[in-house]
Amino acid sequence: MEHSTPPSSELLEIAIGVARDAAGTAYRMRAEGVSVAATKSTITDVVTAADRAVERQITAALRQLRPADAVLGEEYGTAERGNQPPARVRWIVDPIDGTVNYLYGLPHCAVSIAAEVDGQVVAGVVRNIHTGEEWTATVGGGAWRAGQRLRCSTETDLAQALVVTGFGYDPRRRAHQARVVAELIAHVRDIRRLGAAAVDLCLVAEGRADAYYEKGLAAWDQAAGALVAAEAGLRIGGLKGLAPGPDMVVAAPPALFDALHDHLARLDASGGP
Ligand code: IPD
């Protein structure tokens, strides 16, 4: 049984090194040409050879550096740990968040790695594969990019807020999400759909948009990005007092949270398929 875990700063250093190498691999594979290797939940939910290769690389690196830890990844799920006792540290990995952008060569996709200790995310890094922008956070240690501490938007009026969201891959879910956004857009400055939840959360963390919400995120889409956002001062929650999760993640400055929340609750944004 593991009694002590390294400080979150040490876990972050590991995550950063692994994410940089992984982003390098993803970038090279994109330059060499990329195609769809398989589809997952629907025909638009694609996986490329790079998603798989990058996740294998990340898992192997983490295994080497921290053999007793668990790893949860988007493409391969929970990596086998043999007959070892339950791990206190779990790495949550999205090898390429924004796979469709990656496929099309759109520069809004990232490697996302978070470290969880006893079920709480304590460190995370999101690294843009194309631009090299790198957002990091540790719990209680702030959110950072390029040596600058990040602070979220100070906007207080939802009518002037730029709101980022995303859509799932299931057409019925998308139809519901589109109805929600069609109503919400009349109450905000504008809507953006950029295509990579991890990066979306980091952009909101540094005030390059004001708020974010999405239904249907998996743990790997949001673990690192949500820590970056929270450490930059955003309030993160679900609807009607629920914790953020697959039903809904709302990330908004404290002064905007209730107004955005109330619209989303009224529009049943966490409902539907
Ligand atoms: C997707 C992206 C997208 C979001 C979807 C996610 P993937 O992740 O983050 O922005 O709207 O909900 O599934 O499939 O590119 O790793």
Side-chain angles (χ1 to χ4, degrees), residues 45 74 94 96-100 166-169 193 195-198 200 214 216-217 221:
D45 184 8
E74 175 170 16
D94 195 339
I96 300 178
D97 182 48
T99 300
V100 174
F167 305 122
Y169 291 109
R193 194 302 190 239
D200 296 347
E214 185 165 350
L217 293 183
D221 296 316

Side-chain angles (χ1 to χ4, degrees), residues 52-155:
R52 291 174 171 170
V54 172
E55 185 168 316
R56 283 196 300 270
Q57 176 180 322
I58 293 170
T59 304
L62 292 172
R63 279 267 167 281
Q64 193 176 19
L65 294 163
R66 303 258 324 156
D69 296 352
V71 180
L72 172 68
E74 175 170 16
E75 309 306 337
Y76 294 105
T78 305
E80 282 302 317
R81 300 176 57 252
N83 292 325
Q84 298 175 55
R88 293 189 60 194
V89 177
R90 183 172 75 148
W91 298 89
I92 304 175
V93 173
D94 195 339
I96 300 178
D97 182 48
T99 300
V100 174
N101 284 344
Y102 181 77
L103 184 64
Y104 281 80
L106 295 171
H108 191 80
C109 50
V111 174
S112 171
I113 302 178
E116 195 182 64
V117 177
D118 297 334
Q120 186 195 3
V121 177
V122 299
V125 57
V126 176
R127 186 175 175 96
N128 186 309
I129 291 162
H130 287 270
T131 66
E133 285 171 302
E134 185 179 271
W135 297 268
T136 63
T138 52
V139 69
W144 299 82
R145 181 172 74 77
Q148 300 291 316
R149 188 156 186 176
L150 306 181
R151 303 271 179 220
C152 68
S153 157
T154 54
E155 183 56 65

Side-chain angles (χ1 to χ4, degrees), residues 8-270:
S8 49
S9 56
E10 205 174 296
L11 295 172
L12 179 63
E13 284 312 306
I14 291 172
I16 290 172
V18 172
R20 286 181 183 171
D21 289 347
T25 300
Y27 186 81
R28 277 193 301 282
M29 289 187 78
R30 182 69 191 72
E32 287 160 8
V34 66
S35 58
V36 173
T39 56
K40 296 186 286 184
S41 58
T42 71
I43 53 165
T44 54
D45 184 8
V46 296
V47 56
T48 69
D51 289 88
R52 291 174 171 170
V54 172
E55 185 168 316
R56 283 196 300 270
Q57 176 180 322
I58 293 170
T59 304
L62 292 172
R63 279 267 167 281
Q64 193 176 19
L65 294 163
R66 303 258 324 156
D69 296 352
V71 180
L72 172 68
E74 175 170 16
E75 309 306 337
Y76 294 105
T78 305
E80 282 302 317
R81 300 176 57 252
N83 292 325
Q84 298 175 55
R88 293 189 60 194
V89 177
R90 183 172 75 148
W91 298 89
I92 304 175
V93 173
D94 195 339
I96 300 178
D97 182 48
T99 300
V100 174
N101 284 344
Y102 181 77
L103 184 64
Y104 281 80
L106 295 171
H108 191 80
C109 50
V111 174
S112 171
I113 302 178
E116 195 182 64
V117 177
D118 297 334
Q120 186 195 3
V121 177
V122 299
V125 57
V126 176
R127 186 175 175 96
N128 186 309
I129 291 162
H130 287 270
T131 66
E133 285 171 302
E134 185 179 271
W135 297 268
T136 63
T138 52
V139 69
W144 299 82
R145 181 172 74 77
Q148 300 291 316
R149 188 156 186 176
L150 306 181
R151 303 271 179 220
C152 68
S153 157
T154 54
E155 183 56 65
T156 57
D157 181 4
L158 188 64
Q160 296 187 52
L162 186 61
V163 177
V164 183
T165 191
F167 305 122
Y169 291 109
D170 176 344
R172 291 169 313 136
R173 173 168 293 177
R174 286 179 165 189
H176 180 70
Q177 290 172 316
R179 283 191 286 275
V180 171
V181 92
E183 289 287 326
L184 183 66
I185 198 167
H187 302 278
V188 299
R189 177 189 296 277
D190 209 343
I191 295 285
R192 294 288 181 271
R193 194 302 190 239
L194 303 168
V199 185
D200 296 347
L201 283 160
C202 292
L203 293 181
V204 173
E206 58 179 295
R208 287 156 80 181
D210 295 301
Y212 168 85
Y213 78 92
E214 185 165 350
K215 171 190 163 83
L217 293 183
W220 45 79
D221 296 316
Q222 54 116 346
L227 180 63
V228 172
E231 287 293 324
L234 289 141
R235 181 172 161 196
I236 319 275
L239 295 187
K240 300 176 184 168
L242 294 177
D247 283 345
M248 180 55 63
V249 174
V250 182
L256 288 181
F257 188 93
D258 286 343
L260 179 57
H261 169 279
D262 291 353
H263 279 292
L264 294 171
R266 177 178 59 80
L267 297 168
D268 191 27
S270 60

